[in-house]
Amino acid sequence: MMNVYAFRNSDQVVEESASGGAFSAIVESFFELSNSEKKVYGCCFDDNLDVKHIGVESKEEIKIFRTSKYVESDIKGVYQKVLEDLKANKYVLFSGAPCQVAGLKSYLRVKNVKDVKLYTIDIICHGTPSRKYWNDYKEWLERVNNDKLVGFSFRYSKAKWKLYPCMARYKSGKIKVNTQDTRMFTRLFFSHLTIRESCFKCKYSNMNRVGDITIGDFWGIDTIMPEFIKQRHIDSKSGVSLVIENTEKGNQLIEIIKNKSGENIQICLSNEFIKYQHNLNSPTQKPKNYDCFISDYENYGFDFITRKYGEYTLLGRVIFDIKKILHEYGIIEKIKKITK
Ligand SMILES: Cc1cc2nc3c(=O)[nH]c(=O)nc-3n(C[C@H](O)[C@H](O)[C@H](O)COP(=O)(O)OP(=O)(O)OC[C@H]3O[C@@H](n4cnc5c(N)ncnc54)[C@H](O)[C@@H]3O)c2cc1C
């Protein structure tokens, strides 16, 4: 392992990103590498809100990759496109889950293609739900709201309740933030019930990273680098990236960031950050009720699991709304502090 950094981009980029906006800064650096043609691959929503990997050619277009989509992205045909780009002598930056980066590298090895001009970013990942859940969820949301879903955010920065806030936008113009139905997908995701079974045996959940740079949330920054957030007058939950430089290529890109925006990036001299990142130590654990959940889902469908596992019942909705108000007014945080 080489160096580890805390990074925070401009407020505007952070607002559009999942974490501290490190991804956008790395892309900026990538475009400064040389005058050769370039291609950046990442994960985005298409017009139907399907989650897929695509490639773009200019840095203006990379905005579509910003923010996390907690769904396994469709990567069909993408490795082949990267291969064609490399053969055409283009510089390529590929970003994705570690298994996707590893898949690309082994594909290129099998095809005997040199990857000198390939740069890779892997995200710290605690597993992804399959697209089937996502499709079923979208259908369920549309049914429950009797409206067409036209936009969704898994980390909506304008919400009052900051912990993984969700936003759903509908064709009628209606916008719902952090309501129980809007949070249902992430609720099931964070209980690890919708994560693909293979993720529980993930071979990339450790410090042996596959990408040139690894990015994630800088959990624990309050204790590890308190001066970083104090100097910027920010809340630790408002977005600071953890950036791990794994290779010489990673170093090349990070040096450009340091030269351009020195004050946004600060080296982390402690290894403490590993303690806060479960998936830099081991894969996510399979929940005890996972098999039961899968069988309920297969036998009775999505509506059933929202009631049984997501408490989408009358009583569940009332309790949710009360908790939401307590969160939004910071009352839960205050109670936690007092009882510590
Ligand atoms: C499924 C998933 C699980 C995650 N788990 C953790 C975790 O346990 N700990 C942690 O610290 N961070 C985790 N992250 C990463 C974190 O949420 C941010 O995505 C990351 O820190 C980048 O933030 P940013 O502000 O630098 O960039 P942003 O501008 O938000 O960039 C987003 C980057 O993530 C990629 N991306 C988005 N969705 C997907 C997807 N579905 N599949 C592959 N790539 C995607 C984009 O291509 C882009 O490179 C997870 C992300 C995902 C998608």
Side-chain angles (χ1 to χ4, degrees):
M1 186 181 82
M2 293 165 89
N3 295 322
V4 177
Y5 299 91
F7 176 82
R8 180 163 165 111
N9 214 319
S10 67
D11 289 348
Q12 197 207 326
V13 176
V14 170
E15 204 165 280
E16 293 169 11
S17 310
S19 185
F23 167 72
S24 299
I26 298 166
V27 174
E28 286 273 333
S29 302
F30 173 71
F31 275 95
E32 293 199 2
L33 278 181
S34 79
N35 289 328
S36 314
E37 263 190 90
K38 304 209 172 58
K39 206 82 182 271
V40 178
Y41 286 86
C43 170
C44 65
F45 281 126
D46 71 7
D47 293 343
N48 297 319
L49 295 182
D50 289 334
V51 176
K52 50 176 61 167
H53 257 71
I54 65 161
V56 299
E57 283 170 3
S58 70
K59 53 180 171 181
E60 290 71 35
E61 291 170 283
I62 65 106
K63 284 186 179 172
I64 55 167
F65 300 142
R66 281 184 187 153
T67 199
S68 296
K69 298 96 196 165
Y70 294 124
V71 184
E72 180 193 19
S73 71
D74 185 355
I75 202 146
K76 209 167 14 158
V78 169
Y79 293 168
Q80 201 184 333
K81 286 197 180 123
V82 172
L83 177 144
E84 285 160 16
D85 290 335
L86 291 172
K87 278 190 169 169
N89 232 5
K90 292 181 191 168
Y91 274 75
V92 175
L93 176 67
F94 179 91
S95 72
C99 53
Q100 294 172 326
V101 174
L104 171 64
K105 287 192 168 178
S106 62
Y107 176 81
L108 296 174
R109 246 189 328 270
V110 169
K111 297 284 177 186
N112 224 351
V113 174
K114 285 208 184 95
D115 64 0
V116 192
K117 292 190 172 172
L118 173 69
Y119 290 70
T120 54
I121 303 174
D122 69 72
I123 52 171
I124 302 175
C125 176
H126 66 268
T128 47
S130 75
R131 289 189 295 282
K132 180 165 167 35
Y133 282 114
W134 176 237
N135 290 334
D136 282 354
Y137 173 65
K138 284 188 293 179
E139 265 180 49
W140 177 78
L141 260 194
E142 292 186 345
R143 225 174 325 115
V144 169
N145 287 280
N146 196 20
D147 208 338
K148 185 159 174 49
L149 186 68
V150 292
F152 194 88
S153 171
F154 290 94
R155 287 180 77 157
Y156 185 61
S157 56
K158 295 192 181 91
K160 279 196 206 157
W161 177 8
K162 291 286 175 210
L163 201 63
Y164 297 102
C166 296
M167 182 278 293
R169 194 157 41 81
Y170 294 89
K171 197 174 173 193
S172 65
K174 180 173 70 181
I175 291 180
K176 286 175 87 176
V177 178
N178 270 344
T179 52
Q180 197 193 16
D181 56 338
T182 315
R183 287 179 67 89
M184 185 59 71
F185 189 85
T186 40
R187 180 191 174 135
L188 296 172
F189 169 58
F190 285 112
S191 59
H192 303 154
L193 290 167
T194 51
I195 287 177
R196 291 170 308 147
E197 192 150 19
S198 55
C199 298
F200 301 125
K201 293 189 189 122
C202 177
K203 24 178 205 176
Y204 308 103
S205 288
N206 49 54
M207 281 302 289
N208 208 356
R209 308 304 299 176
V210 282
D212 294 308
I213 298 179
T214 298
I215 53 175
D217 297 301
F218 205 134
W219 302 130
I221 191 150
D222 311 59
T223 28
I224 303 168
M225 295 172 73
E227 71 289 357
F228 188 88
I229 50 173
K230 271 194 204 132
Q231 279 161 10
R232 286 160 186 81
H233 307 288
I234 52 167
D235 171 349
S236 61
K237 293 191 191 80
S238 75
V240 179
S241 289
L242 173 73
V243 180
I244 309 174
E245 171 193 295
N246 303 312
T247 65
E248 280 304 325
K249 280 184 187 168
N251 174 264
Q252 212 184 336
L253 294 173
I254 288 172
E255 284 305 313
I256 299 174
I257 300 182
K258 283 202 233 164
N259 288 334
K260 270 180 67 179
S261 56
E263 73 279 10
N264 292 348
I265 188 158
Q266 207 170 305
I267 196 155
C268 170
L269 297 169
S270 149
N271 270 346
E272 281 276 286
F273 68 92
I274 302 175
K275 193 170 89 182
Y276 292 88
Q277 284 285 358
H278 182 88
N279 299 97
L280 290 181
N281 295 291
S282 55
T284 297
Q285 260 178 347
K286 182 174 164 174
K288 286 199 179 75
N289 55 346
Y290 186 82
D291 294 334
C292 180
F293 172 86
I294 298 291
S295 121
D296 282 343
Y297 177 50
E298 281 169 5
N299 292 324
Y300 308 113
F302 201 83
D303 279 64
F304 181 81
I305 60 164
T306 62
R307 291 193 296 274
K308 181 166 172 187
Y309 300 89
E311 286 161 20
Y312 197 71
T313 56
L314 189 58
L315 178 64
R317 271 179 266 172
V318 173
I319 294 173
F320 180 91
D321 286 341
I322 294 170
K323 276 193 191 159
K324 185 180 167 193
I325 293 168
L326 295 178
H327 270 293
E328 288 189 349
Y329 287 94
I331 296 167
I332 293 202
E333 292 274 303
K334 279 183 198 147
I335 294 173
K336 275 187 193 158
K337 269 188 198 153
I338 293 166
T339 52
K340 235 182 187 179

